[in-house]
Amino acid sequence: MEAVITIVALLFVLFVALGVYATVKVVGAAKRGVDRTLTQARRTVADHTLRAKSFAQLGPAGEIAQLRLTLRTSMRATQDALHAGVAEDESLKESLGLFQRLSAHGQELDAELKRLESEPDRVTLAQRLPSLRERTERITASADSLRWAARDRARRFAEDDLDSLSTQIDVEAGALRHWTTPEPTATSSASPTSASPWPEAPAADEATEGQTWPETPGARTAQEPTRPAITPAAPRPSYPWQKKPRPENTT
């Protein structure tokens, strides 16, 4: 009985611990979501404020607001592009590390520009504007270079994958339509000496040897001897009891 109570108590403690862990995770996720929303809202408000100042204020104050807006927009776009690309391409980790070092300079410049927005000495502020403008351009140029390089790399990978996929699809389509491909004709491999021989001429009949075309009048075959047209009569033998013939002119 005590063993059953112990097992039930352990299961209860385990369920309570799991519940507390799940609650903490949910609260943490909700807190991060709220913080992310607040941060995004503060960024949006700050950007709109800077944009309004750049249009409303004249002179160095308005230019400083424009420099801050340009710096923040470029750095934020590069950060989003690198964080989105590093999840698919591990080689962007080095680029992300370089951007973090660049972000330190950007945040330092942004803080300095923010302090100078309320500077009452406009003459000194105007003297420092060229150096501030140069620093802003260098930082934004480096950030833009990293961002466009990451985008070009992702586009190149997408094009290579699309080319490979198109080639495979063409091969598969050709295999599916195999009946449309003409079959190769079998070429004769027999040599001229292996051709079937001509049929032998029939043996000439002994009775028809010689020329075979029709005879012309008076023509003979080469083997037939020439015979006279009328065979002369052979001399008849004479016997003793026969009378000698009388000459016709005897009277």
Side-chain angles (χ1 to χ4, degrees), residues 129-144:
L129 271 178
S131 61
L132 294 173
R133 189 183 303 111
E134 181 183 0
R135 287 175 60 188
T136 304
E137 291 177 353
R138 291 180 60 184
I139 293 175
T140 55
S142 298
D144 294 344

Side-chain angles (χ1 to χ4, degrees), residues 60 119-130:
E119 176 63 36
D121 190 357
R122 301 299 180 182
V123 176
T124 304
L125 186 60
Q127 292 176 353
R128 298 190 59 180
L129 271 178

